[in-house]
Amino acid sequence: AKAQKIIKQQERAEGFASYRDNPIGWGRDILGESYTDDQVRVAESVRDNVVTIARSATDVGKSYVASRVAAWFYSVYPDAQVFMTAAPPIENLKTILWGELMEIVRKKPTVFSGSRLRALSIARHSKSFVKGVSIPITGSSEEREAKFSGKHAPHLLFIIDEGDAVPDEVYKGIEGCMSSGADEVGGDMVRLLIMFNPRAKIGPVWEKEYNREANIIQLSAFDHPNVLTGTNVIPGTVSQ
């Protein structure tokens, strides 16, 4: 029975295979949503680039689109593993990034049909899941690095929110996972999405920008539909 359940889950993911090159199409068709131009650029950058950095103003929907990217990746690849984290405290992860993912579960439960939902975990089986990973504020840097090390899957996605406040050792752990399959080589596909509100030219995210180690997307408040039109096109986001 367990094997049959796994097969059905894999068949469901394979049914979304036509959307593997179309994360926005998946969101529009499966979730019934629309996206800003900047959100489209973020999603398509994750599809096309190993590392994407989303530099963002506040309240322009970066966590919203990141959660949709996570759901898309998990849905279209039956062997996907997705790890989501955010700078401490853990409420940043639970209420914002993971909270957006739970909104998908609430609105479109069939997207995760057959998957088991637990605290900070959605899993179709032990080797395919979306997990929220907290960053300890106590313990050694080696312990924090180890928490993000040793991840491997044919399709692997890391999403980091508030990336400028994430400790260096977290990036070291993730980079170790990515070094074994930096792109679609030997069947492996590894992606990293880092989101942050730029404040200072310092830290690992800024270094990645400076060294051109990522595709950089700018989510500007001035380009948001609410600001451009002067009306509340997208409730709960930035306004004029």
Side-chain angles (χ1 to χ4, degrees):
K2 184 177 180 180
Q4 290 178 340
K5 181 180 178 181
I6 292 174
I7 290 171
K8 287 182 179 179
Q9 291 169 344
Q10 291 175 332
E11 288 176 346
R12 179 174 179 80
E14 290 295 344
F16 287 133
S18 62
Y19 290 101
R20 286 178 180 174
D21 292 328
N22 192 4
I24 293 302
W26 182 88
R28 287 170 176 162
D29 296 346
I30 306 304
L31 302 183
E33 297 178 339
S34 59
Y35 305 94
T36 67
D37 291 345
D38 286 344
Q39 289 173 330
V40 170
R41 291 166 61 219
V42 171
E44 292 181 346
S45 179
V46 174
R47 177 195 65 193
D48 298 337
N49 298 278
V50 176
V51 182
T52 297
I53 292 176
R55 315 175 82 253
S56 176
T58 57
D59 293 333
V60 295
K62 67 180 186 302
S63 299
Y64 180 94
V65 71
S67 67
R68 272 63 186 170
V69 167
W72 159 76
F73 197 86
Y74 177 74
S75 295
V76 301
Y77 295 113
D79 51 10
Q81 293 183 12
V82 182
F83 296 91
M84 305 169 72
T85 193
I90 193 173
E91 284 71 22
N92 284 338
L93 172 62
K94 286 183 175 180
T95 62
I96 302 175
L97 191 55
W98 194 263
E100 289 285 4
L101 189 63
M102 289 300 97
E103 185 66 10
I104 300 175
V105 173
R106 186 187 68 80
K107 290 170 55 178
K108 295 288 183 179
T110 56
V111 170
F112 299 107
S113 177
S115 295
R116 187 171 183 174
L117 275 64
R118 291 182 173 179
L120 296 179
S121 175
I122 299 173
R124 56 169 64 97
H125 51 77
S126 62
K127 294 188 177 181
S128 182
F129 48 76
V130 184
K131 287 187 177 180
V133 184
S134 63
I135 299 174
I137 57 176
T138 59
S140 67
S141 59
E142 289 79 11
E143 289 172 330
R144 283 188 287 274
E145 181 176 345
K147 193 167 186 179
F148 290 86
S149 301
K151 319 297 187 189
H152 181 75
H155 295 91
L156 186 62
L157 170 63
F158 295 94
I159 298 177
I160 301 176
D161 201 4
E162 306 295 341
D164 58 330
V166 168
D168 292 13
E169 53 266 25
V170 170
Y171 290 103
K172 290 179 182 178
I174 291 173
E175 287 164 3
C177 301
M178 299 181 73
S179 64
S180 62
D183 207 339
E184 297 177 42
V185 178
D188 283 359
M189 177 180 178
V190 185
R191 295 290 187 265
L192 170 61
L193 170 61
I194 304 169
M195 303 175 293
F196 78 119
N197 305 116
R199 298 179 181 90
K201 295 181 178 181
I202 191 172
V205 181
W206 179 79
E207 289 176 4
K208 289 180 183 297
E209 289 187 327
Y210 183 80
N211 296 323
R212 299 184 179 181
E213 296 174 1
N215 187 49
I216 300 169
I217 305 296
Q218 179 82 31
L219 289 87
S220 172
F222 295 108
D223 295 330
H224 194 275
N226 289 4
V227 176
L228 291 173
T229 63
T231 58
N232 196 24
V233 178
I234 305 174
T237 57
V238 68
S239 67
Q240 280 191 342

